[in-house]
Amino acid sequence: MEYEKWKMENTMRITIIGGGPAGLYFAILMKKADPAHQIKIYERNGPDDTFGWGVVFSGKTLANLRAADEESHAEITREFEAWDNVDVVHGDEKISIHGNSFSGIARLRLLKILQRRAEELDVEVSYRTEIQDLEPLRQDCDLLVGADGVNSTVRLRYADQFKPELDLRAHRYIWYGTNQLFHGLTLTFRKNEAGTFAAHSYKFNKTTSTFIVECDPQTWERAGFATMSDDDMREYVANVFAGDLDGLLRITESV
Ligand SMILES: Cc1cc2nc3c(=O)[nH]c(=O)nc-3n(C[C@H](O)[C@H](O)[C@H](O)COP(=O)(O)OP(=O)(O)OC[C@H]3O[C@@H](n4cnc5c(N)ncnc54)[C@H](O)[C@@H]3O)c2cc1C
């Protein structure tokens, strides 16, 4: 009886803003802790939309995911590509460092796995619903969770309470995908007349690798990226990394 009373008092109506990995995973863990929690997620995108290509997990992250929820961990590890090398490519030299356990999975696959698991546990998700006005939602739940990413509306709205500190850095990046498979987490440095570009690449399924290109703002400016079309930029980047991409313009899409 005491337990029933405690349970009634501790069962919560939880509203989560943002159905990315953090919002979905938080919902899954809260439902596991107590299936009686009523949890609703608001996500501005559709269930099949996402930014980005693949994401990587370290071995330590995977161990944490396993400890927290074996079901989704099993699904994630069924899908992923694994490796233990980090390769650094500079000029003609490639140095491989082994003993770093990593794995990659498409960001969309990860989201689909977490969405399914959340639905299985009776989490309600409203897609294509962007939340601007937070107060009515806050007043209508016991716990409001801001899982709305790096430019969080929740954090901004309640900045006086959270007092966040943001440290914005100057480098720019473009997140590409390519059908060239990079076995291992590969960091490649290439230079041209505009400056130095670094590519972070790794395969995340049988046919695709993430290929993130990063440079400092001066290089970005000198390369003319600020006014270049996406297609021209992609061609420019493919030329910078022509030797690493087998000379083919294999970068398939920019996001
Ligand atoms: C180029 C790049 C590469 C990365 N690679 C990796 C990697 O390899 N491994 C890794 O672990 N991490 C990686 N990250 C980091 C990773 O993307 C983030 O840590 C992760 O996405 C954070 O998850 P999240 O759920 O907090 O935020 P997000 O993934 O940003 O999700 C937030 C969600 O909230 C929604 N949302 C925002 N505002 C509102 C609103 N007002 N109303 C409703 N919905 C809203 C958004 O649509 C989004 O779906 C990378 C990030 C970048 C930019």
Side-chain angles (χ1 to χ4, degrees):
M1 197 58 199
E2 274 303 298
Y3 174 70
E4 286 306 314
K5 185 164 170 276
W6 179 90
K7 205 166 162 54
M8 279 199 40
E9 283 169 0
N10 288 281
T11 298
M12 290 191 285
R13 287 170 309 149
I14 302 172
T15 297
I16 301 173
I17 314 298
L24 288 165
Y25 208 71
F26 180 78
I28 291 167
L29 297 190
M30 288 307 281
K31 271 289 192 184
K32 282 188 66 159
D34 187 344
H37 289 319
Q38 293 168 39
I39 305 183
K40 178 144 193 182
I41 298 179
Y42 292 96
E43 168 54 50
R44 71 176 163 207
N45 290 332
D48 298 314
D49 307 340
T50 186
F51 63 85
W53 292 83
V55 293
V56 281
F57 296 123
S58 67
K60 176 101 172 54
T61 302
L62 279 178
N64 289 340
L65 293 181
R66 178 180 211 150
D69 183 47
E70 278 214 32
E71 283 82 349
S72 52
H73 170 270
E75 269 213 75
I76 291 166
T77 49
R78 236 194 324 270
E79 303 266 344
F80 71 13
E81 294 289 312
W83 61 83
D84 91 325
N85 58 309
V86 173
D87 291 353
V88 180
V89 182
H90 187 256
D92 293 335
E93 207 177 354
K94 173 168 153 183
I95 296 174
S96 289
I97 305 145
H98 287 272
N100 299 285
S101 156
F102 277 104
S103 51
I105 186 171
R107 183 178 154 91
L108 185 55
R109 266 315 290 143
L110 173 68
L111 286 176
K112 297 307 286 179
I113 290 169
L114 297 180
Q115 285 169 5
R116 198 166 55 232
R117 179 82 177 118
E119 277 161 28
E120 202 175 273
L121 294 168
D122 270 338
V123 173
E124 197 186 326
V125 188
S126 285
Y127 293 102
R128 300 185 187 86
T129 313
E130 172 144 15
I131 303 299
Q132 308 275 5
D133 190 7
L134 291 161
E135 264 309 288
L137 289 176
R138 188 180 73 83
Q139 285 168 20
D140 197 37
C141 67
D142 301 307
L143 178 67
L144 179 78
V145 178
D148 48 349
V150 70
N151 293 314
S152 167
T153 304
V154 178
R155 189 180 55 221
L156 189 67
R157 170 67 182 76
Y158 302 110
D160 284 349
Q161 284 78 26
F162 290 133
K163 303 196 190 321
E165 276 178 37
L166 298 182
D167 185 1
L168 203 61
R169 298 302 170 106
H171 276 209
R172 310 293 302 267
Y173 70 83
I174 320 166
W175 200 346
Y176 290 111
T178 170
N179 295 121
Q180 176 154 341
L181 296 181
F182 289 88
H183 304 276
L185 196 60
T186 311
L187 192 60
T188 308
F189 296 92
R190 294 295 170 212
K191 244 182 176 170
N192 71 2
E193 59 291 345
T196 301
F197 297 84
H200 310 243
S201 51
Y202 54 87
K203 64 180 176 181
F204 61 83
N205 64 25
K206 300 278 178 249
T207 57
T208 328
S209 297
T210 274
F211 197 84
I212 299 168
V213 177
E214 180 189 351
C215 65
D216 63 32
Q218 295 79 12
T219 304
W220 184 276
E221 201 54 45
R222 283 192 295 263
F225 284 171
T227 53
M228 216 180 257
S229 72
D230 283 354
D231 283 347
D232 288 349
M233 206 189 282
R234 186 160 50 196
E235 197 175 329
Y236 185 107
V237 169
N239 277 326
V240 171
F241 292 97
D244 309 288
L245 292 163
D246 266 351
L248 296 172
L249 301 182
R250 287 214 192 134
I251 293 174
T252 47
E253 212 174 327
S254 61
V255 181

